[in-house]
Amino acid sequence: MTTDRSAQLAQHFPAFEDIPADYRLAEQVHQRHSLVGGRLIEWNGASKTVLSPVCARDPSTGDVRQVEIGSYPVMGEAESDAALDAAVAAYANGRGEWPTMAVADRIACMQAFVRGMAQQRELIVNLIMWEIGKSLADSRKEFDRTVEYIQATIQALKDLDNASSRFEIAEGTIGQIRRTPLGVVLCMGPYNYPLNETFATLIPALLMGNTVVFKPPQYGTLLFHPLLEAFRSAFPAGVINTIYAPGAVVVPRLLASGKVNVLALIGSSKVADHLKKQHPKSHRLRAILGLDAKNAAIILPDADIELTVKECLLGALSFNGQRCTALKMLIVHRSIVDRFVQRFTEELGKLKVGMPWESGVSITPLPGLHRTAYMTEALEDAKAKGARIVNEGGGEFCQTLFHPAVVYPVSEGMKLYREEQFGPLVPVMPFDDVETALDYVITSDHGQQVSIFGADPGQIGALVDPLVNQVCRVNINCQCQRGPDVFPFAGRKDSAEGTLSVSDALRAFSIRSMVAAKQTEQAKELLNAIVQDHKSSFINTGFIL
Ligand code: G3H
């Protein structure tokens, strides 16, 4: 049955001819190459059609369908083995050109890559928008933030390397300590920040001298196509290799080979657990993981309602709630819950629903029909167990466009209570005693961040202390978020393994190694000669400016 609201939502989808020329893809992107061992290898096998979250309406029939934007290869085991072998060969047990290259030269390669990347900005931004439905403004922000992140990482590497460009003497031993690569990194990013979060691991992994096998996310594959040539020309052969294949077919196999030294995955804890177990010697595998999250906002009785509503709206519904850091449960003191819900739904009603290129748009289409189906299922479950959708039109949808739903009161036993909805659903639960809110966080499987809204220093101070031992960031009177990127981004329990930030990521993808010698005249002479005659790239006291 078509409701008025879903008919209204259908009107947001344009007829294909009405899509503004500036925002159309000039042509569909049919990717037929992978980058392996420094060569762009042509693929003539099966391919997967890519459908955009954006639908187009057939003006004559009124039919609404996802727009086809291209295709990419569906490779298999042989191709993934080849990508892995190329990375292993380029690493060459740490003797390859890349892992032994002087840091300044690695940085020069990365700068060449960034120049190549910058030339593709417009196309990549457009592909982010078309592949995942992110607003044009946010797609641009994602690209620019990523370039800034690369530059900040380069600067952090210079600082790190310069700080290591000296000898240290302790207890009669002369030492030089530097960070060295770990080996082959398997890098997989998420669909919601396909460029930024992938590069948050891939770039530091490369800069530290590792070689990489990179598998793009299922939604957000084509946007890497314009970068293949930049990767190929900027880095030595085999330093970065790409694979386009169903994860379930090739990824466990890559790990089972025992040749992957680091698993860098932004995805689900279930997948991460399964993959880690495939490695024949699990102690040899380092895992850098960004996983599930169910960040809560605890809204205290003296919270500034207007500020809280503004932050919670951003927190819960930016990019349709498809952020790992999104606020996915609002826990509100009973004395203010009615007022909060009323103001929240009023402000939600002002959010602009539409196509990603529209100026000021907030709510855009989801990546596929399976996502609207999941949202509907979670809503039905909550309704069957006693909750209501409290905003007008909440939960109505047309194809991929889903009107956000505020659900109240959510309680234990409902899917929305514990599951990470990763979409435009806002569960709200009331509390009387702050222990209830604290208990929600303590008993959660997730441990990324939390937000507290309130004014009383005593109460906020007393809440912060237990919360910092449950999560890795407590936000006071503001939404949860990852940035600024120089701050540590981490999680406990099922939410993460390892810490990412501009400088932490460099540490995550490397290990300290050192040379040591007795503090004798002979050793001093030898070390000085190595330094003066530039006989080693590890033993040196040079400064990168
Ligand atoms: O999806 C998880 C992202 O890392 C969140 O980043 O807080 O900057 O949106 P953000």
Side-chain angles (χ1 to χ4, degrees):
M1 188 184 80
T2 313
T3 63
D4 285 354
R5 176 69 64 157
S6 72
Q8 268 173 33
L9 287 170
Q11 294 306 312
H12 288 287
F13 291 121
F16 194 77
E17 296 67 34
D18 294 339
I19 298 170
D22 283 356
Y23 310 124
R24 283 186 203 173
L25 285 175
E27 53 189 13
Q28 293 191 0
V29 178
H30 294 285
Q31 165 166 355
R32 288 295 175 272
H33 290 91
S34 62
L35 174 61
V36 177
R39 291 193 308 128
L40 291 173
I41 300 190
E42 193 169 347
W43 171 252
N44 293 310
S47 61
K48 182 170 165 54
T49 300
V50 179
L51 296 178
S52 173
V54 173
C55 299
R57 197 161 29 89
D58 181 331
S60 52
T61 62
D63 270 5
V64 171
R65 294 235 171 98
Q66 287 178 259
V67 176
E68 189 176 324
I69 54 171
S71 60
Y72 58 78
V74 181
M75 298 177 165
E77 294 178 347
E79 293 73 27
S80 109
D81 288 353
L84 178 60
D85 288 346
V88 170
Y91 192 67
N93 297 309
R95 299 178 71 185
E97 181 184 357
W98 187 246
T100 55
M101 191 182 278
V103 169
D105 295 335
R106 266 192 233 138
I107 289 174
C109 292
M110 188 59 79
Q111 294 288 24
F113 170 71
V114 178
R115 285 192 294 276
M117 177 176 168
Q119 287 169 9
Q120 302 291 342
R121 180 179 185 270
E122 203 179 321
L123 177 56
I124 294 172
V125 164
N126 241 0
L127 280 169
I128 296 177
M129 180 172 84
W130 277 97
E131 270 194 285
I132 63 166
K134 186 173 275 193
S135 74
L136 181 60
D138 284 348
S139 300
R140 287 182 176 142
K141 223 186 281 171
E142 175 163 351
F143 186 95
D144 296 339
R145 177 181 177 181
T146 306
V147 171
E148 282 162 28
Y149 181 89
I150 299 175
Q151 295 299 359
T153 306
I154 288 173
Q155 187 53 49
L157 177 58
K158 286 183 187 173
D159 295 344
L160 184 70
D161 199 68
N162 287 340
S164 309
S165 261
R166 56 192 282 269
F167 292 104
E168 293 176 40
I169 299 176
E171 297 173 28
T173 300
I174 308 171
Q176 181 161 33
I177 307 161
R178 280 187 191 283
R179 300 202 73 94
T180 57
L182 294 164
V184 173
V185 178
L186 172 59
C187 188
M188 291 182 290
Y191 84 78
N192 64 332
Y193 277 89
L195 183 70
N196 182 266
E197 290 238 301
T198 301
F199 277 21
T201 59
L202 187 129
I203 298 297
L206 287 175
L207 278 171
M208 292 314 292
N210 302 284
T211 60
V212 170
V213 175
F214 163 46
K215 187 182 133 11
Q218 190 187 354
Y219 308 102
T221 291
L222 296 179
L223 65 99
F224 290 100
H225 178 57
L227 290 176
L228 290 188
E229 176 52 30
F231 277 132
R232 194 200 62 75
S233 59
F235 298 105
V239 168
I240 171 150
N241 308 279
T242 58
I243 175 73
Y244 307 91
V249 175
V250 299
V251 181
R253 178 182 169 90
L254 287 168
L255 284 150
S257 72
K259 297 177 189 167
V260 171
N261 304 97
V262 186
L263 170 64
L265 167 74
I266 314 292
S268 82
S269 61
K270 207 169 128 206
V271 168
D273 278 347
H274 173 65
L275 292 180
K276 283 177 71 171
K277 286 185 198 131
Q278 307 305 309
H279 198 288
K281 290 192 176 181
S282 57
H283 60 273
R284 289 198 186 188
L285 181 72
R286 182 176 290 190
I288 315 294
L289 309 172
L291 305 172
D292 331 329
K294 180 91 174 171
N295 294 342
I298 301 175
I299 302 168
L300 299 167
D302 57 358
D304 173 337
I305 295 280
E306 293 308 306
L307 173 123
T308 307
V309 164
K310 180 170 155 272
E311 288 292 318
C312 287
L313 258 188
L314 278 175
L317 291 173
S318 299
F319 190 33
N320 312 304
Q322 300 170 112
R323 292 161 62 224
C324 61
T325 47
L327 288 174
K328 295 179 182 126
M329 171 61 86
L330 307 185
I331 310 177
V332 191
H333 193 265
R334 200 178 296 277
S335 63
I336 56 163
V337 71
D338 290 342
R339 199 149 52 93
F340 173 81
V341 168
Q342 187 197 340
R343 284 295 298 125
F344 188 88
T345 51
E346 279 168 9
E347 290 303 308
L348 193 164
K350 295 178 191 166
L351 294 183
K352 181 167 173 180
V353 179
M355 294 302 103
W357 53 82
E358 291 175 27
S359 146
V361 73
S362 289
I363 303 301
T364 55
L366 302 179
L369 302 179
H370 63 296
R371 293 307 294 155
T372 46
Y374 172 80
M375 300 304 144
T376 306
E377 190 188 311
L379 284 181
E380 290 308 320
D381 171 77
K383 285 198 287 187
K385 291 169 183 161
R388 288 174 299 119
I389 297 172
V390 294
N391 61 315
E392 204 195 320
E396 300 279 353
F397 67 95
C398 172
Q399 299 287 355
T400 51
L401 196 54
F402 188 94
H403 195 80
V406 182
V407 190
Y408 178 77
V410 167
S411 57
E412 180 93 67
M414 298 176 186
K415 275 178 189 292
L416 275 176
Y417 188 75
R418 287 298 187 197
E419 279 182 24
E420 179 181 22
Q421 64 270 38
F422 215 77
L425 302 181
V426 189
V428 181
M429 77 178 239
F431 73 90
D432 297 298
D433 181 347
V434 78
E435 277 301 321
T436 309
L438 203 48
D439 187 62
Y440 177 81
V441 179
I442 290 171
T443 53
S444 171
D445 277 336
H446 305 100
Q448 190 197 64
Q449 299 189 16
V450 71
S451 288
I452 309 173
F453 293 91
D456 176 23
Q459 191 164 25
I460 291 180
L463 260 180
V464 163
D465 290 354
L467 285 172
V468 289
N469 292 346
Q470 285 296 323
V471 297
C472 285
R473 173 162 162 169
V474 177
N475 301 278
I476 300 175
N477 290 322
C478 56
Q479 61 152 326
C480 298
Q481 63 178 42
R482 195 181 82 195
D485 290 330
V486 292
F487 285 157
F489 182 51
R492 300 170 187 266
K493 300 192 249 185
D494 293 352
S495 287
E497 186 170 338
T499 300
L500 290 176
S501 77
V502 165
S503 53
D504 285 300
L506 293 172
R507 292 188 173 81
F509 289 100
S510 61
I511 187 166
R512 283 181 302 170
S513 190
M514 66 178 291
V515 290
K518 289 257 157 57
Q519 193 185 6
T520 62
E521 286 312 310
Q522 231 178 355
K524 285 185 205 165
E525 262 174 43
L526 182 65
L527 290 171
N528 270 330
I530 293 173
V531 169
Q532 273 159 18
D533 300 337
H534 304 289
K535 294 294 184 196
S536 162
S537 56
F538 186 96
I539 305 173
N540 85 72
T541 55
F543 214 77
I544 311 172
L545 293 172

